[in-house]
């Protein structure tokens, strides 16, 4: 019997993966790698086979699809570049774009690559009414993402031109679908504006607190920051649907179906609940300990694509510092990060910053997922537009069969 292979140190694992040691801990926080405390409690150790398997999955080919050879799927795109702990929309710094322009203007930039100053998105009455009626028929406990998914399907039924996949037609769909999704959400209080910036309309459906200018700007910026992020899981689902020539409403529905996972759109809600617990107890220590004891990763920390702090989190935290009522939640977030940093040098990601925004704005924990879904719809449609220009059904990787070899007897 082969002797058990020695476990790898953090530095050895980092060298094998071709990343910095901090990124190894980010893989652990994302559930992609398991770790064990080293003897004496100094540092962590990693299973060599598991590290090698992750390294193999991480090797990308130069373009096209490497899925058939066991590599990750690679798709050429002109939309978002993530490089050097920064990210760019069509070559423009995405953080700067989101800070200086409204979410609607950011969306138009992703869709067309052209500036659209003063862009406004308004839902036609037929589309908004169909979406509202369909969403209102759902059970009371329905999640906001369920409502958005149903609203997208209902809006599609009100659009007889939905099967037209020409660029102009899909752009028309995009400009209708985004405000329709927001219109389908129930208001958090009596007033629910249907005009004006989309962030203002969304605020009225998420919070019963007054919409102060600084908070509205933070929400609008968060939407722009989250509009796209390369080929995340939900975006890949959208491109697969678009590759099969599903119309834009159906492609967005595919994205909404994926976004509910705790490792994707739902992560902000987990971070929101964590911050509320820290605020309730007055100390992150016992809250973080309970998360780890339960075998859960601490939400809101670490990102596989950034070795340092998530640039989206950094930008959003800076805006939240100008909102007095956000101070307690900001302090709780810093306490969480400092507590975890004693053992793993993980930086805050956008989920933690989004949780500070929602927790300090009187919003429910599900609000983070709602913001994420509405924001990412702009990027999904941009990717669908891009995919419609590619060869149909190219998103068809080959499976690697590992079952029993035929012929086998019929059971």
């Amino acid at each position: 019997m082969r002797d058990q292979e020695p476990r790898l140190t953090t530095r050895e694992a980092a060298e094998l993966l071709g990343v910095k040691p901090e990124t190894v801990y980010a893989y652990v926080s994302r559930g992609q790698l398991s770790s064990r405390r080293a003897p004496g409690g100094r540092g962590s150790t990693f299973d060599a086979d598991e590290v090698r398997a992750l390294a193999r999955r991480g090797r990308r080919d130069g373009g096209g699809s490497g899925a058939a050879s066991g590599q990750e799927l690679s798709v050429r795109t002109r939309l978002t570049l993530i490089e050097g702990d920064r990210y760019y929309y069509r070559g423009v710094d995405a953080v700067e774009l989101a800070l200086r322009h409204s979410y609607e203007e950011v969306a138009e930039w992703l869709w067309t690559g052209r500036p659209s100053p003063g862009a406004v998105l308004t839902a036609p009455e037929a589309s908004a009414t169909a979406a509202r009626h369909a969403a209102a028929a759902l059970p009371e406990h329905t999640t906001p993402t369920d409502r958005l998914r149903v609203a997208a399907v209902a809006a599609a039924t009100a659009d007889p031109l939905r099967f037209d996949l020409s660029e102009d037609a899909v752009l028309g769909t995009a400009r209708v679908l985004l405000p329709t999704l927001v219109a389908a959400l129930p208001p958090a209080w009596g007033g629910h504006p249907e005009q004006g910036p989309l962030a203002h309309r969304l605020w009225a459906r998420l919070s019963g607190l007054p919409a102060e200018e600084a908070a509205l700007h933070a929400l609008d910026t968060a939407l722009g920051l989250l509009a796209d992020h390369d080929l995340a899981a939900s975006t890949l689902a959208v491109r697969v649907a678009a590759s099969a020539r599903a119309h834009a409403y159906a492609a967005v529905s595919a994205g909404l179906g994926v976004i509910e996972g705790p490792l994707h759109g739902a992560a902000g809600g987990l971070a929101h609940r964590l911050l509320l617990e820290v605020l309730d107890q007055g100390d992150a220590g016992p809250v973080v300990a309970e998360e780890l004891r339960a075998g859960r990763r601490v939400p809101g920390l670490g990102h596989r694509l950034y070795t340092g702090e998530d640039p989206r989190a950094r930008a959003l935290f800076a805006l939240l510092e100008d909102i007095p009522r956000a101070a307690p939640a900001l302090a709780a977030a810093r306490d969480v990060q400092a507590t975890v940093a004693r053992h793993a040098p993980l930086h805050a990601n956008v989920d933690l910053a989004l949780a500070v925004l929602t927790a300090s704005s009187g919003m429910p924990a599900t609000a983070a997922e709602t913001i994420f879904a509405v924001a990412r719809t702009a990027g999904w449609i941009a990717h669908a537009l891009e995919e419609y220009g590619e060869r149909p059904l190219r998103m068809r990787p080959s499976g690697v069969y590992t079952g029993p070899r035929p012929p086998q007897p019929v059971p």
Side-chain angles (χ1 to χ4, degrees):
M1 181 174 162
R2 183 171 64 90
D3 292 338
Q4 186 174 7
E5 188 173 0
R7 294 178 64 82
L8 302 178
T9 65
T10 302
R11 184 169 297 281
E12 289 169 338
E15 290 175 353
L16 189 57
L17 291 166
V19 299
K20 296 180 180 179
E22 293 86 350
T23 307
V24 176
Y25 289 108
Y27 289 148
V28 174
S29 75
R30 286 279 175 178
Q32 296 174 284
L33 202 60
S34 59
S35 66
R36 186 186 301 167
R37 301 299 296 174
R42 298 179 63 84
S44 299
T45 63
F46 304 86
D47 181 86
D49 288 338
E50 189 178 9
V51 173
R52 280 194 287 267
L54 180 60
R56 286 194 297 271
R57 291 199 301 273
R59 296 191 190 101
R60 296 177 180 267
D61 59 357
S65 171
S69 60
Q71 297 171 323
E72 291 185 8
L73 183 65
S74 177
V75 177
R76 296 184 184 277
T77 176
R78 298 175 61 86
L79 296 174
T80 300
L81 169 68
I82 300 174
E83 186 175 75
D85 279 353
R86 299 172 71 180
Y87 72 120
Y88 306 84
Y89 292 158
R90 294 186 180 272
V92 175
D93 187 288
V95 171
E96 291 298 318
L97 192 68
L99 287 170
R100 298 183 186 183
H101 293 272
S102 70
Y103 170 61
E104 290 89 331
E105 292 168 344
V106 171
E108 291 282 353
W109 175 254
L110 280 169
W111 297 337
T112 69
R114 297 187 298 270
S116 301
V120 177
L121 301 177
T122 304
E125 188 56 37
S127 176
T129 299
R132 282 197 206 98
H133 285 171
L138 296 171
E140 187 177 347
H141 64 271
T142 301
T143 67
T145 304
D146 286 332
R147 293 184 186 278
L148 293 175
R149 191 160 51 242
V150 168
V153 173
T157 65
D159 183 1
L161 303 179
R162 63 187 179 276
F163 296 106
D164 184 349
L165 302 185
S166 65
E167 182 177 348
D168 286 344
V170 175
L171 285 172
T173 295
R175 293 168 182 142
V176 165
L177 181 54
L178 263 174
T180 297
L181 292 179
V182 174
L185 295 170
W189 54 284
H192 50 284
E194 302 298 350
Q195 304 297 324
L198 209 64
H200 295 207
R201 286 177 258 170
L202 184 58
W203 178 278
R205 287 164 167 81
L206 297 178
S207 175
L209 296 179
E212 299 174 356
E213 194 59 37
L216 287 172
H217 179 51
L219 177 57
D220 185 59
T221 302
L223 290 169
L225 292 170
L226 291 165
D228 193 41
H229 206 235
D230 193 33
L231 226 64
S234 57
T235 305
L236 178 59
V238 168
R239 292 199 76 129
V240 170
S243 176
R245 296 303 183 258
H247 56 70
Y249 298 95
V252 168
S253 296
L256 288 167
V258 175
I259 207 171
E260 286 189 285
L263 300 182
H264 198 10
L270 299 177
H272 177 114
R273 295 183 182 92
L274 180 81
L275 290 185
L276 293 185
E277 289 186 38
V278 174
L279 289 169
D280 183 56
Q281 297 201 28
D283 183 2
V287 179
V288 168
E290 185 58 32
E291 290 292 306
L292 298 177
R293 181 183 181 184
R296 297 186 293 263
R297 69 183 186 89
V298 180
L301 298 177
H303 197 289
R304 62 175 297 194
L305 299 181
Y306 300 112
T307 54
E309 188 174 29
D310 185 333
R312 302 168 298 176
R314 185 167 56 248
L316 201 48
F317 280 140
L319 294 179
L320 291 166
E321 287 173 357
D322 293 331
I323 303 174
R325 68 177 176 223
L330 268 172
R334 294 191 181 105
D335 192 9
V336 169
Q337 187 175 358
T339 300
V340 175
R342 297 173 196 166
H343 304 287
L346 296 175
H347 297 278
N349 62 37
V350 73
D351 298 317
L352 190 62
L354 198 57
V356 172
L357 173 61
T358 56
S360 63
S361 299
M363 299 178 183
T366 54
E369 187 175 330
T370 306
I371 294 168
F372 196 105
V374 171
R376 192 55 59 86
T377 298
W380 290 338
I381 294 176
H383 280 272
L385 272 165
E386 199 172 57
E387 192 59 39
Y388 290 144
E390 299 288 347
R391 173 175 53 82
L393 293 175
R394 70 183 186 125
M395 297 287 181
R396 178 59 172 87
S398 299
V400 179
Y401 179 73
T402 59
R405 294 297 305 169
Q408 295 288 321
V410 177

